[in-house]
Each structure stands twice: as C-alpha cells, then as structure tokens.
C-alpha cells in the first residue's frame, strides 16, 4: 500500500532563510453574502488556480477586489470562469485565479510557504523534483518584484483537488452540504484519515477535495525531497481506509 503524507511548513528550516514575500492572486471569485439556502456568509480557503487567466473576460474588473456578493451574482461570475478552470475545480466562493502578484525581499530559499497551504518552489527546485521522477507538478511563475538585482524565479505549485477525507474521521451527525452553495462547515479532524479509493494515481502532490487547505504528498514525493536534501517541508503520515 502506498504511503501518503500531510505536507506542512517546517518553520525551523524555512526561518534559516531571511526573506519574505507579500503577494496575492490577481483574480478571485467573491465571497458569498448570506446564502439563500443556508444563510451563511462565507468564503473558502485553499482553492487556488494560478494558471487560470481571466484577462480575456469583459468583466474581469469584478474579480479584482476582495468582496462578497449575493448568491445570484456569485453564481453568474462562477459560470463565466468555469470554462477556463480545470474540470475538477469546484469553484467555491473566494476561489483564487491567476499568478501571485506582489513584492519580495531577501532570500526565499529553495521553497517558501504562504500560510500553511500555498507552496512556492524556486525554478531549480521544481526541475530537480521533476528530474527525480515526481509526477504531476505544475508551476506558475509568481510575479514578485524583488529589490535585489538577480532575483530568483519562484513558481507557485498549482495543486488540484484529489482524494478525500474518509467519512470515518468525520462526525457521524455532520449535515449534508448546502444544496445551494455547497458549504458543509467541515472541521478538520484531529486525526485525518484518507479515503483510499479516492486517491489520485497520476500525481504525487495534491489537495484534499473536501478540505482544500490540506496538502498531501506521496511517498515518492517525500523520498525525492529527502534525496535532494530539500528543507522546509514537514511530513506527517496519514492513515488510509
Ligand atoms: Zn448555502
């Protein structure tokens, strides 16, 4: 049975590099203001598609600012984006698109995190991982303005949803997702368990489809990282059922 690991920032390792960046994705779907089905006002986390380019949409201005919108407007905007997004993308409120845009300074190291669920790889890091046989990596150049003369090229990993938390690690009385907006209000369990039948076979890094802030890597990914002595990722093995 293949092994799978929850990927998180190893802060001890990343703090050795004295650099940081401040950036956001160029476009986003609005958050939802008071769903007519469940009444929730909400926005998602972890749904990010840096390769999706909305510059061709007449109404791209409506995607530039963080805001919330009534359901009808949210749903209309989501339909404008859907043909441009990967087929597996669920596109909840707050989904991000386009490259990261912002500023950076200092040495970001071979890899850098934003929060616990966005991973930037320096171009040579990405190439080394691919040369080690890691499958399904897709990097999109982050548009970071550095102060120094020869800045590194940093790529954001586009991680698509694949694999699910197993129902056994979720509360038995968990309500169904809202039929209107899809919100389920899931809390991450203390001991996440993966649903073995849901795991993608063609990729070595992905996000959970029902908990997009959890990044998962295969044993092949972990071994490649170890062989390359890449620091900055903490691996926690996940149970599978
Ligand atoms: Zn709802």
């Amino acid at each position: 049975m293949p092994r799978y690991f929850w990927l998180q920032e190893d802060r001890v390792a990343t703090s050795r590099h004295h650099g940081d960046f401040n950036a956001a994705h160029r476009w986003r779907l609005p958050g939802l203001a008071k769903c007519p089905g469940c009444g929730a006002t909400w926005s998602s986390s972890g749904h990010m598609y840096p390769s999706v380019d909305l510059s061709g949409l007449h109404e791209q201005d409506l995607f530039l600012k963080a805001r919330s919108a009534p359901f009808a407007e949210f749903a209309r905007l989501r339909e404008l984006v859907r043909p441009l997004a990967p087929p597996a993308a669920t596109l909840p409120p707050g989904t991000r698109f386009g490259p990261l845009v912002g500023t950076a300074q200092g040495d970001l190291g071979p890899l850098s995190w934003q929060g616990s669920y966005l991973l930037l790889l320096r171009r040579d890091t990405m190439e080394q991982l691919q040369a080690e046989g890691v499958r399904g990596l897709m990097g999109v150049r982050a548009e970071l303005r550095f102060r120094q003369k020869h800045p590194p090229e940093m790529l954001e990993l586009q991680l698509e949803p694949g694999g699910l938390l197993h129902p056994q690690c979720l509360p038995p009385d968990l309500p169904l997702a809202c039929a209107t907006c899809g919100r389920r209000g899931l809390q991450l369990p203390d001991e996440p368990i993966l649903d073995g039948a849901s795991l993608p076979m063609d990729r070595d890094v992905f996000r959970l489809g029902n908990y997009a802030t959890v990044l998962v890597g295969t044993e092949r990914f972990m071994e490649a990282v170890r062989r390359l002595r890449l620091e900055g990722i903490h691996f926690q093995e996940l149970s599978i059922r």
Side-chain angles (χ1 to χ4, degrees):
M1 187 74 182
R3 298 163 71 201
Y4 290 84
F5 300 84
W6 182 2
L7 313 180
Q8 291 177 284
E9 180 173 6
D10 175 350
R11 288 179 198 278
V12 174
T14 52
S15 66
R16 287 187 203 117
H17 299 277
H18 299 280
D20 54 47
F21 66 98
N22 181 6
H25 295 95
R26 182 166 286 148
W27 300 287
R28 67 199 63 212
L29 276 173
L32 181 55
K34 203 162 180 0
C35 170
C38 65
T41 292
W42 68 288
S43 193
S44 65
S45 295
H47 296 264
M48 301 182 275
Y49 298 95
S51 75
V52 172
D53 179 1
L54 304 192
S55 61
L57 294 179
H58 288 301
E59 297 180 271
Q60 68 149 316
D61 286 0
L62 298 176
F63 297 89
L64 290 175
K65 284 211 184 103
R67 65 194 180 101
S68 51
F71 181 74
E73 186 186 359
F74 160 74
R76 186 180 74 82
L77 295 177
R78 180 172 58 182
E79 293 318 303
L80 294 179
V81 172
R82 201 185 295 280
L84 306 171
T90 50
L91 307 178
T95 301
R96 313 297 172 96
F97 308 97
L100 276 178
V101 180
T103 57
Q105 57 185 355
D107 172 21
L108 295 180
L111 60 88
S112 192
W113 294 80
Q114 187 184 59
S116 57
Y117 49 84
L118 187 156
L119 187 53
L120 292 185
L121 301 179
R122 205 169 56 203
R123 176 170 287 282
D124 60 300
T125 306
M126 168 79 93
E127 289 169 355
Q128 287 169 3
L129 286 167
Q130 286 170 328
E132 289 286 333
V134 173
R135 301 163 308 160
L137 292 182
M138 177 188 198
V140 178
R141 190 172 165 275
E143 296 180 10
L144 299 176
R145 274 182 295 112
F146 282 82
R147 289 195 195 151
Q148 65 258 37
K149 277 240 170 72
H150 301 287
E153 186 179 358
M154 302 300 291
L155 305 172
E156 178 187 351
L157 271 188
Q158 176 164 305
L159 299 173
E160 297 185 17
L164 298 169
L165 289 172
H166 195 283
Q168 274 183 15
C169 70
L170 303 176
D173 54 352
L174 189 70
L176 294 175
C178 169
T180 304
C181 73
R183 183 174 184 272
R184 206 166 177 208
L186 216 56
Q187 300 282 325
L188 188 63
D190 292 337
E191 290 184 36
I193 300 170
L194 298 177
D195 180 345
S198 71
L199 296 168
M201 293 294 133
D202 57 344
R203 285 170 275 166
D204 290 309
V205 196
F206 52 90
R207 296 179 181 283
L208 292 186
N210 55 0
Y211 216 96
T213 55
V214 174
L215 271 58
V216 177
T218 61
E219 189 169 11
R220 181 198 301 259
F221 178 70
M222 185 194 67
E223 286 177 349
V225 166
R226 298 253 155 105
R227 279 196 300 275
L228 294 167
R229 300 181 187 280
L230 272 179
E231 295 185 328
I233 302 176
H234 173 76
F235 292 88
Q236 179 184 334
E237 184 158 10
L238 291 163
S239 323
I240 304 173
R241 255 175 230 154

